[in-house]
Amino acid sequence: GAEAEVEVFVETAEPPLTRDVTLSLGEATHTATEAFRVRPWIGAPIGCAGADEAGPLGSGQYEGLSSLGGDDTIPPHECADWPVAPEGFYRVDLGPSETLRATVTMPERDAIVYLVDACDHPLLSCIDQGGAGEPEYIQWTGPAEPSTVYLVVDGYDYTDHGVFFLDLEVAP
């Protein structure tokens, strides 16, 4: 087949945003609707201290790379015998009785998502329901007073790391 090199320029704007792409080949024109989605990049802070340094996440759509994170900083838990993939920690500050809702999708990999209120504390909640490439959804309602939790994006197996997409909502 034929090959083409495509350069895409996205104006400075607050992500998330989507863009259509139109390609002209000779006299034929082809448009791909919402071909590109640009989300804020959140990296992979290591442990609770790294998440504190990076600052809290608010409601929004994000993209990260768990391959950059630490490895096995949380003890074994009920979701998996021992997740061995690199994980990223993300601080989320909740107001009184606010609810965190998060969906994590790791294309072609099996994500595990869990919450802790401190790195040396037991898990608050954990989810590992889907398989490779399937979204994981976690929901947690905080106590009556303001609180901080750490959303951890991990992988089921040592090969389960890489790019992931996070849709996060913090609401009353």
PDB file of all heavy atoms in Angstrom, residues 113-154:
ATOM      1  N   VAL A 113      -7.924  -0.533  38.953  1.00  0.00           N
ATOM      2  CA  VAL A 113      -8.044   0.808  39.512  1.00  0.00           C
ATOM      3  C   VAL A 113      -8.421   0.668  40.978  1.00  0.00           C
ATOM      4  O   VAL A 113      -9.312  -0.106  41.318  1.00  0.00           O
ATOM      5  CB  VAL A 113      -9.124   1.621  38.766  1.00  0.00           C
ATOM      6  CG1 VAL A 113      -9.226   3.022  39.329  1.00  0.00           C
ATOM      7  CG2 VAL A 113      -8.815   1.665  37.275  1.00  0.00           C
ATOM      8  N   TYR A 114      -7.719   1.405  41.842  1.00  0.00           N
ATOM      9  CA  TYR A 114      -8.078   1.371  43.246  1.00  0.00           C
ATOM     10  C   TYR A 114      -7.868   2.717  43.908  1.00  0.00           C
ATOM     11  O   TYR A 114      -7.255   3.625  43.336  1.00  0.00           O
ATOM     12  CB  TYR A 114      -7.370   0.257  44.006  1.00  0.00           C
ATOM     13  CG  TYR A 114      -5.910   0.041  43.739  1.00  0.00           C
ATOM     14  CD1 TYR A 114      -4.943   0.533  44.589  1.00  0.00           C
ATOM     15  CD2 TYR A 114      -5.497  -0.715  42.647  1.00  0.00           C
ATOM     16  CE1 TYR A 114      -3.600   0.288  44.369  1.00  0.00           C
ATOM     17  CE2 TYR A 114      -4.159  -0.960  42.414  1.00  0.00           C
ATOM     18  CZ  TYR A 114      -3.211  -0.455  43.285  1.00  0.00           C
ATOM     19  OH  TYR A 114      -1.882  -0.691  43.052  1.00  0.00           O
ATOM     20  N   LEU A 115      -8.445   2.842  45.097  1.00  0.00           N
ATOM     21  CA  LEU A 115      -8.378   4.076  45.882  1.00  0.00           C
ATOM     22  C   LEU A 115      -7.801   3.789  47.250  1.00  0.00           C
ATOM     23  O   LEU A 115      -8.135   2.775  47.881  1.00  0.00           O
ATOM     24  CB  LEU A 115      -9.779   4.667  46.082  1.00  0.00           C
ATOM     25  CG  LEU A 115     -10.498   5.194  44.855  1.00  0.00           C
ATOM     26  CD1 LEU A 115     -11.947   5.520  45.202  1.00  0.00           C
ATOM     27  CD2 LEU A 115      -9.801   6.430  44.319  1.00  0.00           C
ATOM     28  N   VAL A 116      -6.937   4.686  47.711  1.00  0.00           N
ATOM     29  CA  VAL A 116      -6.429   4.668  49.084  1.00  0.00           C
ATOM     30  C   VAL A 116      -6.516   6.086  49.618  1.00  0.00           C
ATOM     31  O   VAL A 116      -6.556   7.053  48.852  1.00  0.00           O
ATOM     32  CB  VAL A 116      -4.969   4.151  49.161  1.00  0.00           C
ATOM     33  CG1 VAL A 116      -4.875   2.692  48.755  1.00  0.00           C
ATOM     34  CG2 VAL A 116      -4.027   4.998  48.315  1.00  0.00           C
ATOM     35  N   ASP A 117      -6.559   6.231  50.942  1.00  0.00           N
ATOM     36  CA  ASP A 117      -6.527   7.580  51.496  1.00  0.00           C
ATOM     37  C   ASP A 117      -5.124   7.943  51.976  1.00  0.00           C
ATOM     38  O   ASP A 117      -4.853   9.078  52.315  1.00  0.00           O
ATOM     39  CB  ASP A 117      -7.579   7.785  52.592  1.00  0.00           C
ATOM     40  CG  ASP A 117      -7.413   6.845  53.766  1.00  0.00           C
ATOM     41  OD1 ASP A 117      -6.462   6.037  53.789  1.00  0.00           O
ATOM     42  OD2 ASP A 117      -8.252   6.917  54.683  1.00  0.00           O
ATOM     43  N   ALA A 118      -4.219   6.984  51.967  1.00  0.00           N
ATOM     44  CA  ALA A 118      -2.795   7.184  52.233  1.00  0.00           C
ATOM     45  C   ALA A 118      -2.078   5.930  51.737  1.00  0.00           C
ATOM     46  O   ALA A 118      -2.657   4.839  51.730  1.00  0.00           O
ATOM     47  CB  ALA A 118      -2.534   7.400  53.711  1.00  0.00           C
ATOM     48  N   CYS A 119      -0.842   6.063  51.325  1.00  0.00           N
ATOM     49  CA  CYS A 119      -0.142   4.921  50.733  1.00  0.00           C
ATOM     50  C   CYS A 119       0.111   3.786  51.708  1.00  0.00           C
ATOM     51  O   CYS A 119       0.301   2.655  51.290  1.00  0.00           O
ATOM     52  CB  CYS A 119       1.162   5.387  50.094  1.00  0.00           C
ATOM     53  SG  CYS A 119       0.881   6.164  48.481  1.00  0.00           S
ATOM     54  N   ASP A 120       0.119   4.069  53.000  1.00  0.00           N
ATOM     55  CA  ASP A 120       0.358   3.002  53.969  1.00  0.00           C
ATOM     56  C   ASP A 120      -0.935   2.516  54.626  1.00  0.00           C
ATOM     57  O   ASP A 120      -0.899   1.838  55.650  1.00  0.00           O
ATOM     58  CB  ASP A 120       1.358   3.462  55.023  1.00  0.00           C
ATOM     59  CG  ASP A 120       0.907   4.702  55.774  1.00  0.00           C
ATOM     60  OD1 ASP A 120      -0.107   5.309  55.377  1.00  0.00           O
ATOM     61  OD2 ASP A 120       1.577   5.066  56.750  1.00  0.00           O
ATOM     62  N   HIS A 121      -2.083   2.848  54.037  1.00  0.00           N
ATOM     63  CA  HIS A 121      -3.384   2.437  54.571  1.00  0.00           C
ATOM     64  C   HIS A 121      -4.000   1.359  53.697  1.00  0.00           C
ATOM     65  O   HIS A 121      -3.644   1.225  52.529  1.00  0.00           O
ATOM     66  CB  HIS A 121      -4.335   3.624  54.637  1.00  0.00           C
ATOM     67  CG  HIS A 121      -3.972   4.601  55.704  1.00  0.00           C
ATOM     68  ND1 HIS A 121      -4.784   5.632  56.034  1.00  0.00           N
ATOM     69  CD2 HIS A 121      -2.896   4.713  56.521  1.00  0.00           C
ATOM     70  CE1 HIS A 121      -4.228   6.345  56.994  1.00  0.00           C
ATOM     71  NE2 HIS A 121      -3.080   5.806  57.295  1.00  0.00           N
ATOM     72  N   PRO A 122      -4.974   0.628  54.237  1.00  0.00           N
ATOM     73  CA  PRO A 122      -5.678  -0.359  53.414  1.00  0.00           C
ATOM     74  C   PRO A 122      -6.452   0.312  52.280  1.00  0.00           C
ATOM     75  O   PRO A 122      -6.713   1.511  52.313  1.00  0.00           O
ATOM     76  CB  PRO A 122      -6.658  -1.013  54.398  1.00  0.00           C
ATOM     77  CG  PRO A 122      -6.226  -0.603  55.758  1.00  0.00           C
ATOM     78  CD  PRO A 122      -5.421   0.651  55.616  1.00  0.00           C
ATOM     79  N   LEU A 123      -6.835  -0.497  51.333  1.00  0.00           N
ATOM     80  CA  LEU A 123      -7.608   0.000  50.197  1.00  0.00           C
ATOM     81  C   LEU A 123      -8.983   0.458  50.635  1.00  0.00           C
ATOM     82  O   LEU A 123      -9.612  -0.160  51.495  1.00  0.00           O
ATOM     83  CB  LEU A 123      -7.788  -1.103  49.163  1.00  0.00           C
ATOM     84  CG  LEU A 123      -6.532  -1.606  48.489  1.00  0.00           C
ATOM     85  CD1 LEU A 123      -6.863  -2.806  47.627  1.00  0.00           C
ATOM     86  CD2 LEU A 123      -5.900  -0.519  47.662  1.00  0.00           C
ATOM     87  N   LEU A 124      -9.447   1.545  50.028  1.00  0.00           N
ATOM     88  CA  LEU A 124     -10.825   2.001  50.232  1.00  0.00           C
ATOM     89  C   LEU A 124     -11.761   1.271  49.273  1.00  0.00           C
ATOM     90  O   LEU A 124     -12.880   0.922  49.622  1.00  0.00           O
ATOM     91  CB  LEU A 124     -10.928   3.506  49.983  1.00  0.00           C
ATOM     92  CG  LEU A 124     -10.123   4.407  50.905  1.00  0.00           C
ATOM     93  CD1 LEU A 124     -10.165   5.845  50.394  1.00  0.00           C
ATOM     94  CD2 LEU A 124     -10.637   4.313  52.321  1.00  0.00           C
ATOM     95  N   SER A 125     -11.290   1.088  48.048  1.00  0.00           N
ATOM     96  CA  SER A 125     -12.090   0.446  47.021  1.00  0.00           C
ATOM     97  C   SER A 125     -11.150  -0.027  45.918  1.00  0.00           C
ATOM     98  O   SER A 125     -10.076   0.543  45.728  1.00  0.00           O
ATOM     99  CB  SER A 125     -13.118   1.433  46.463  1.00  0.00           C
ATOM    100  OG  SER A 125     -13.960   0.815  45.532  1.00  0.00           O
ATOM    101  N   CYS A 126     -11.576  -1.050  45.199  1.00  0.00           N
ATOM    102  CA  CYS A 126     -10.749  -1.604  44.140  1.00  0.00           C
ATOM    103  C   CYS A 126     -11.645  -2.214  43.082  1.00  0.00           C
ATOM    104  O   CYS A 126     -12.695  -2.765  43.397  1.00  0.00           O
ATOM    105  CB  CYS A 126      -9.837  -2.668  44.738  1.00  0.00           C
ATOM    106  SG  CYS A 126      -8.720  -3.408  43.553  1.00  0.00           S
ATOM    107  N   ILE A 127     -11.229  -2.114  41.812  1.00  0.00           N
ATOM    108  CA  ILE A 127     -12.015  -2.690  40.735  1.00  0.00           C
ATOM    109  C   ILE A 127     -11.093  -3.337  39.704  1.00  0.00           C
ATOM    110  O   ILE A 127     -10.080  -2.771  39.320  1.00  0.00           O
ATOM    111  CB  ILE A 127     -12.940  -1.630  40.072  1.00  0.00           C
ATOM    112  CG1 ILE A 127     -13.973  -2.269  39.167  1.00  0.00           C
ATOM    113  CG2 ILE A 127     -12.166  -0.584  39.353  1.00  0.00           C
ATOM    114  CD1 ILE A 127     -15.071  -2.955  39.890  1.00  0.00           C
ATOM    115  N   ASP A 128     -11.439  -4.556  39.331  1.00  0.00           N
ATOM    116  CA  ASP A 128     -10.775  -5.272  38.250  1.00  0.00           C
ATOM    117  C   ASP A 128     -11.806  -6.200  37.640  1.00  0.00           C
ATOM    118  O   ASP A 128     -11.813  -7.397  37.875  1.00  0.00           O
ATOM    119  CB  ASP A 128      -9.573  -6.066  38.753  1.00  0.00           C
ATOM    120  CG  ASP A 128      -8.865  -6.799  37.616  1.00  0.00           C
ATOM    121  OD1 ASP A 128      -8.951  -6.341  36.463  1.00  0.00           O
ATOM    122  OD2 ASP A 128      -8.244  -7.839  37.882  1.00  0.00           O
ATOM    123  N   GLN A 129     -12.713  -5.624  36.869  1.00  0.00           N
ATOM    124  CA  GLN A 129     -13.821  -6.392  36.301  1.00  0.00           C
ATOM    125  C   GLN A 129     -13.614  -6.721  34.835  1.00  0.00           C
ATOM    126  O   GLN A 129     -14.041  -7.757  34.381  1.00  0.00           O
ATOM    127  CB  GLN A 129     -15.125  -5.609  36.467  1.00  0.00           C
ATOM    128  CG  GLN A 129     -15.392  -5.234  37.895  1.00  0.00           C
ATOM    129  CD  GLN A 129     -16.648  -5.853  38.435  1.00  0.00           C
ATOM    130  OE1 GLN A 129     -17.594  -6.032  37.710  1.00  0.00           O
ATOM    131  NE2 GLN A 129     -16.635  -6.170  39.701  1.00  0.00           N
ATOM    132  N   GLY A 130     -12.989  -5.821  34.115  1.00  0.00           N
ATOM    133  CA  GLY A 130     -12.837  -6.007  32.679  1.00  0.00           C
ATOM    134  C   GLY A 130     -11.535  -6.692  32.331  1.00  0.00           C
ATOM    135  O   GLY A 130     -10.646  -6.867  33.165  1.00  0.00           O
ATOM    136  N   GLY A 131     -11.420  -7.053  31.081  1.00  0.00           N
ATOM    137  CA  GLY A 131     -10.188  -7.631  30.567  1.00  0.00           C
ATOM    138  C   GLY A 131      -9.399  -6.593  29.794  1.00  0.00           C
ATOM    139  O   GLY A 131      -9.657  -5.386  29.885  1.00  0.00           O
ATOM    140  N   ALA A 132      -8.481  -7.059  29.000  1.00  0.00           N
ATOM    141  CA  ALA A 132      -7.619  -6.165  28.230  1.00  0.00           C
ATOM    142  C   ALA A 132      -8.442  -5.242  27.338  1.00  0.00           C
ATOM    143  O   ALA A 132      -9.335  -5.682  26.624  1.00  0.00           O
ATOM    144  CB  ALA A 132      -6.649  -6.974  27.384  1.00  0.00           C
ATOM    145  N   GLY A 133      -8.173  -3.944  27.436  1.00  0.00           N
ATOM    146  CA  GLY A 133      -8.824  -2.936  26.619  1.00  0.00           C
ATOM    147  C   GLY A 133     -10.206  -2.531  27.086  1.00  0.00           C
ATOM    148  O   GLY A 133     -10.789  -1.601  26.534  1.00  0.00           O
ATOM    149  N   GLU A 134     -10.745  -3.209  28.083  1.00  0.00           N
ATOM    150  CA  GLU A 134     -12.081  -2.881  28.583  1.00  0.00           C
ATOM    151  C   GLU A 134     -11.992  -1.823  29.676  1.00  0.00           C
ATOM    152  O   GLU A 134     -11.054  -1.819  30.467  1.00  0.00           O
ATOM    153  CB  GLU A 134     -12.771  -4.131  29.120  1.00  0.00           C
ATOM    154  CG  GLU A 134     -13.033  -5.167  28.049  1.00  0.00           C
ATOM    155  CD  GLU A 134     -13.664  -6.432  28.602  1.00  0.00           C
ATOM    156  OE1 GLU A 134     -14.040  -6.473  29.789  1.00  0.00           O
ATOM    157  OE2 GLU A 134     -13.776  -7.395  27.822  1.00  0.00           O
ATOM    158  N   PRO A 135     -12.979  -0.940  29.745  1.00  0.00           N
ATOM    159  CA  PRO A 135     -12.942   0.112  30.776  1.00  0.00           C
ATOM    160  C   PRO A 135     -13.190  -0.450  32.172  1.00  0.00           C
ATOM    161  O   PRO A 135     -13.912  -1.430  32.350  1.00  0.00           O
ATOM    162  CB  PRO A 135     -14.070   1.057  30.357  1.00  0.00           C
ATOM    163  CG  PRO A 135     -14.971   0.252  29.498  1.00  0.00           C
ATOM    164  CD  PRO A 135     -14.134  -0.817  28.867  1.00  0.00           C
ATOM    165  N   GLU A 136     -12.560   0.181  33.141  1.00  0.00           N
ATOM    166  CA  GLU A 136     -12.783  -0.110  34.564  1.00  0.00           C
ATOM    167  C   GLU A 136     -13.446   1.121  35.161  1.00  0.00           C
ATOM    168  O   GLU A 136     -12.994   2.241  34.923  1.00  0.00           O
ATOM    169  CB  GLU A 136     -11.473  -0.397  35.297  1.00  0.00           C
ATOM    170  CG  GLU A 136     -10.727  -1.614  34.802  1.00  0.00           C
ATOM    171  CD  GLU A 136     -11.382  -2.937  35.178  1.00  0.00           C
ATOM    172  OE1 GLU A 136     -12.434  -2.932  35.850  1.00  0.00           O
ATOM    173  OE2 GLU A 136     -10.832  -3.977  34.780  1.00  0.00           O
ATOM    174  N   TYR A 137     -14.494   0.928  35.941  1.00  0.00           N
ATOM    175  CA  TYR A 137     -15.243   2.039  36.544  1.00  0.00           C
ATOM    176  C   TYR A 137     -15.207   1.889  38.059  1.00  0.00           C
ATOM    177  O   TYR A 137     -15.480   0.816  38.599  1.00  0.00           O
ATOM    178  CB  TYR A 137     -16.686   2.022  36.053  1.00  0.00           C
ATOM    179  CG  TYR A 137     -17.561   3.065  36.722  1.00  0.00           C
ATOM    180  CD1 TYR A 137     -17.500   4.396  36.338  1.00  0.00           C
ATOM    181  CD2 TYR A 137     -18.423   2.712  37.749  1.00  0.00           C
ATOM    182  CE1 TYR A 137     -18.292   5.355  36.954  1.00  0.00           C
ATOM    183  CE2 TYR A 137     -19.226   3.664  38.372  1.00  0.00           C
ATOM    184  CZ  TYR A 137     -19.153   4.979  37.969  1.00  0.00           C
ATOM    185  OH  TYR A 137     -19.931   5.929  38.592  1.00  0.00           O
ATOM    186  N   ILE A 138     -14.849   2.968  38.736  1.00  0.00           N
ATOM    187  CA  ILE A 138     -14.815   2.969  40.198  1.00  0.00           C
ATOM    188  C   ILE A 138     -15.568   4.198  40.692  1.00  0.00           C
ATOM    189  O   ILE A 138     -15.511   5.262  40.075  1.00  0.00           O
ATOM    190  CB  ILE A 138     -13.356   2.931  40.728  1.00  0.00           C
ATOM    191  CG1 ILE A 138     -13.311   2.585  42.207  1.00  0.00           C
ATOM    192  CG2 ILE A 138     -12.618   4.216  40.418  1.00  0.00           C
ATOM    193  CD1 ILE A 138     -11.923   2.175  42.688  1.00  0.00           C
ATOM    194  N   GLN A 139     -16.274   4.017  41.797  1.00  0.00           N
ATOM    195  CA  GLN A 139     -17.040   5.113  42.399  1.00  0.00           C
ATOM    196  C   GLN A 139     -16.806   5.078  43.906  1.00  0.00           C
ATOM    197  O   GLN A 139     -16.781   4.013  44.510  1.00  0.00           O
ATOM    198  CB  GLN A 139     -18.529   4.923  42.085  1.00  0.00           C
ATOM    199  CG  GLN A 139     -19.401   6.009  42.679  1.00  0.00           C
ATOM    200  CD  GLN A 139     -20.851   5.864  42.223  1.00  0.00           C
ATOM    201  OE1 GLN A 139     -21.113   5.647  41.050  1.00  0.00           O
ATOM    202  NE2 GLN A 139     -21.780   5.994  43.157  1.00  0.00           N
ATOM    203  N   TRP A 140     -16.662   6.265  44.490  1.00  0.00           N
ATOM    204  CA  TRP A 140     -16.406   6.359  45.928  1.00  0.00           C
ATOM    205  C   TRP A 140     -17.015   7.656  46.447  1.00  0.00           C
ATOM    206  O   TRP A 140     -16.790   8.715  45.855  1.00  0.00           O
ATOM    207  CB  TRP A 140     -14.913   6.352  46.209  1.00  0.00           C
ATOM    208  CG  TRP A 140     -14.562   6.597  47.634  1.00  0.00           C
ATOM    209  CD1 TRP A 140     -14.133   7.763  48.183  1.00  0.00           C
ATOM    210  CD2 TRP A 140     -14.636   5.668  48.700  1.00  0.00           C
ATOM    211  NE1 TRP A 140     -13.924   7.611  49.517  1.00  0.00           N
ATOM    212  CE2 TRP A 140     -14.237   6.317  49.862  1.00  0.00           C
ATOM    213  CE3 TRP A 140     -15.003   4.323  48.776  1.00  0.00           C
ATOM    214  CZ2 TRP A 140     -14.178   5.698  51.099  1.00  0.00           C
ATOM    215  CZ3 TRP A 140     -14.953   3.700  50.004  1.00  0.00           C
ATOM    216  CH2 TRP A 140     -14.545   4.385  51.137  1.00  0.00           C
ATOM    217  N   THR A 141     -17.756   7.565  47.533  1.00  0.00           N
ATOM    218  CA  THR A 141     -18.300   8.757  48.178  1.00  0.00           C
ATOM    219  C   THR A 141     -17.515   9.005  49.451  1.00  0.00           C
ATOM    220  O   THR A 141     -17.371   8.104  50.296  1.00  0.00           O
ATOM    221  CB  THR A 141     -19.803   8.591  48.494  1.00  0.00           C
ATOM    222  OG1 THR A 141     -20.488   8.383  47.253  1.00  0.00           O
ATOM    223  CG2 THR A 141     -20.358   9.843  49.159  1.00  0.00           C
ATOM    224  N   GLY A 142     -16.986  10.216  49.577  1.00  0.00           N
ATOM    225  CA  GLY A 142     -16.168  10.578  50.713  1.00  0.00           C
ATOM    226  C   GLY A 142     -16.987  10.820  51.970  1.00  0.00           C
ATOM    227  O   GLY A 142     -18.220  10.860  51.940  1.00  0.00           O
ATOM    228  N   PRO A 143     -16.298  11.006  53.084  1.00  0.00           N
ATOM    229  CA  PRO A 143     -16.969  11.259  54.353  1.00  0.00           C
ATOM    230  C   PRO A 143     -17.605  12.652  54.396  1.00  0.00           C
ATOM    231  O   PRO A 143     -17.472  13.433  53.456  1.00  0.00           O
ATOM    232  CB  PRO A 143     -15.835  11.137  55.373  1.00  0.00           C
ATOM    233  CG  PRO A 143     -14.591  11.463  54.608  1.00  0.00           C
ATOM    234  CD  PRO A 143     -14.848  10.994  53.205  1.00  0.00           C
ATOM    235  N   ALA A 144     -18.259  12.948  55.493  1.00  0.00           N
ATOM    236  CA  ALA A 144     -18.976  14.224  55.648  1.00  0.00           C
ATOM    237  C   ALA A 144     -18.030  15.417  55.708  1.00  0.00           C
ATOM    238  O   ALA A 144     -18.467  16.557  55.525  1.00  0.00           O
ATOM    239  CB  ALA A 144     -19.857  14.179  56.901  1.00  0.00           C
ATOM    240  N   GLU A 145     -16.757  15.190  55.945  1.00  0.00           N
ATOM    241  CA  GLU A 145     -15.786  16.286  55.957  1.00  0.00           C
ATOM    242  C   GLU A 145     -14.898  16.197  54.706  1.00  0.00           C
ATOM    243  O   GLU A 145     -14.804  15.146  54.088  1.00  0.00           O
ATOM    244  CB  GLU A 145     -14.938  16.260  57.235  1.00  0.00           C
ATOM    245  CG  GLU A 145     -14.082  15.033  57.421  1.00  0.00           C
ATOM    246  CD  GLU A 145     -14.822  13.853  58.054  1.00  0.00           C
ATOM    247  OE1 GLU A 145     -15.946  14.028  58.568  1.00  0.00           O
ATOM    248  OE2 GLU A 145     -14.282  12.742  57.982  1.00  0.00           O
ATOM    249  N   PRO A 146     -14.256  17.303  54.304  1.00  0.00           N
ATOM    250  CA  PRO A 146     -13.368  17.254  53.134  1.00  0.00           C
ATOM    251  C   PRO A 146     -12.310  16.165  53.312  1.00  0.00           C
ATOM    252  O   PRO A 146     -11.862  15.893  54.435  1.00  0.00           O
ATOM    253  CB  PRO A 146     -12.727  18.644  53.111  1.00  0.00           C
ATOM    254  CG  PRO A 146     -13.688  19.522  53.846  1.00  0.00           C
ATOM    255  CD  PRO A 146     -14.304  18.641  54.909  1.00  0.00           C
ATOM    256  N   SER A 147     -11.921  15.553  52.214  1.00  0.00           N
ATOM    257  CA  SER A 147     -10.951  14.462  52.287  1.00  0.00           C
ATOM    258  C   SER A 147     -10.109  14.420  51.023  1.00  0.00           C
ATOM    259  O   SER A 147     -10.423  15.055  50.021  1.00  0.00           O
ATOM    260  CB  SER A 147     -11.668  13.122  52.492  1.00  0.00           C
ATOM    261  OG  SER A 147     -12.552  12.867  51.423  1.00  0.00           O
ATOM    262  N   THR A 148      -9.046  13.660  51.089  1.00  0.00           N
ATOM    263  CA  THR A 148      -8.168  13.418  49.940  1.00  0.00           C
ATOM    264  C   THR A 148      -8.068  11.918  49.747  1.00  0.00           C
ATOM    265  O   THR A 148      -7.898  11.169  50.710  1.00  0.00           O
ATOM    266  CB  THR A 148      -6.764  13.992  50.186  1.00  0.00           C
ATOM    267  OG1 THR A 148      -6.870  15.425  50.266  1.00  0.00           O
ATOM    268  CG2 THR A 148      -5.802  13.632  49.066  1.00  0.00           C
ATOM    269  N   VAL A 149      -8.187  11.481  48.491  1.00  0.00           N
ATOM    270  CA  VAL A 149      -7.956  10.084  48.150  1.00  0.00           C
ATOM    271  C   VAL A 149      -6.951  10.042  47.011  1.00  0.00           C
ATOM    272  O   VAL A 149      -6.706  11.043  46.332  1.00  0.00           O
ATOM    273  CB  VAL A 149      -9.262   9.346  47.738  1.00  0.00           C
ATOM    274  CG1 VAL A 149     -10.218   9.260  48.914  1.00  0.00           C
ATOM    275  CG2 VAL A 149      -9.917   9.990  46.547  1.00  0.00           C
ATOM    276  N   TYR A 150      -6.358   8.887  46.823  1.00  0.00           N
ATOM    277  CA  TYR A 150      -5.413   8.678  45.736  1.00  0.00           C
ATOM    278  C   TYR A 150      -5.979   7.604  44.816  1.00  0.00           C
ATOM    279  O   TYR A 150      -6.214   6.473  45.250  1.00  0.00           O
ATOM    280  CB  TYR A 150      -4.038   8.273  46.278  1.00  0.00           C
ATOM    281  CG  TYR A 150      -3.458   9.353  47.148  1.00  0.00           C
ATOM    282  CD1 TYR A 150      -3.703   9.368  48.520  1.00  0.00           C
ATOM    283  CD2 TYR A 150      -2.718  10.390  46.594  1.00  0.00           C
ATOM    284  CE1 TYR A 150      -3.206  10.379  49.320  1.00  0.00           C
ATOM    285  CE2 TYR A 150      -2.223  11.413  47.390  1.00  0.00           C
ATOM    286  CZ  TYR A 150      -2.468  11.395  48.757  1.00  0.00           C
ATOM    287  OH  TYR A 150      -1.981  12.401  49.542  1.00  0.00           O
ATOM    288  N   LEU A 151      -6.218   7.986  43.579  1.00  0.00           N
ATOM    289  CA  LEU A 151      -6.680   7.070  42.553  1.00  0.00           C
ATOM    290  C   LEU A 151      -5.438   6.430  41.955  1.00  0.00           C
ATOM    291  O   LEU A 151      -4.527   7.136  41.510  1.00  0.00           O
ATOM    292  CB  LEU A 151      -7.455   7.844  41.483  1.00  0.00           C
ATOM    293  CG  LEU A 151      -7.933   7.063  40.274  1.00  0.00           C
ATOM    294  CD1 LEU A 151      -9.099   6.146  40.669  1.00  0.00           C
ATOM    295  CD2 LEU A 151      -8.369   8.014  39.174  1.00  0.00           C
ATOM    296  N   VAL A 152      -5.375   5.103  41.972  1.00  0.00           N
ATOM    297  CA  VAL A 152      -4.191   4.400  41.487  1.00  0.00           C
ATOM    298  C   VAL A 152      -4.569   3.616  40.227  1.00  0.00           C
ATOM    299  O   VAL A 152      -5.519   2.838  40.234  1.00  0.00           O
ATOM    300  CB  VAL A 152      -3.635   3.438  42.557  1.00  0.00           C
ATOM    301  CG1 VAL A 152      -2.348   2.770  42.062  1.00  0.00           C
ATOM    302  CG2 VAL A 152      -3.380   4.182  43.869  1.00  0.00           C
ATOM    303  N   VAL A 153      -3.827   3.853  39.150  1.00  0.00           N
ATOM    304  CA  VAL A 153      -4.004   3.123  37.902  1.00  0.00           C
ATOM    305  C   VAL A 153      -2.865   2.114  37.810  1.00  0.00           C
ATOM    306  O   VAL A 153      -1.698   2.489  37.764  1.00  0.00           O
ATOM    307  CB  VAL A 153      -4.004   4.061  36.681  1.00  0.00           C
ATOM    308  CG1 VAL A 153      -4.122   3.264  35.387  1.00  0.00           C
ATOM    309  CG2 VAL A 153      -5.121   5.085  36.791  1.00  0.00           C
ATOM    310  N   ASP A 154      -3.224   0.848  37.843  1.00  0.00           N
ATOM    311  CA  ASP A 154      -2.255  -0.238  37.870  1.00  0.00           C
ATOM    312  C   ASP A 154      -2.607  -1.214  36.751  1.00  0.00           C
ATOM    313  O   ASP A 154      -3.583  -1.019  36.031  1.00  0.00           O
ATOM    314  CB  ASP A 154      -2.326  -0.927  39.242  1.00  0.00           C
ATOM    315  CG  ASP A 154      -1.053  -1.677  39.611  1.00  0.00           C
ATOM    316  OD1 ASP A 154      -0.208  -1.932  38.725  1.00  0.00           O
ATOM    317  OD2 ASP A 154      -0.898  -2.020  40.794  1.00  0.00           O
TER     318      ASP A 154
END
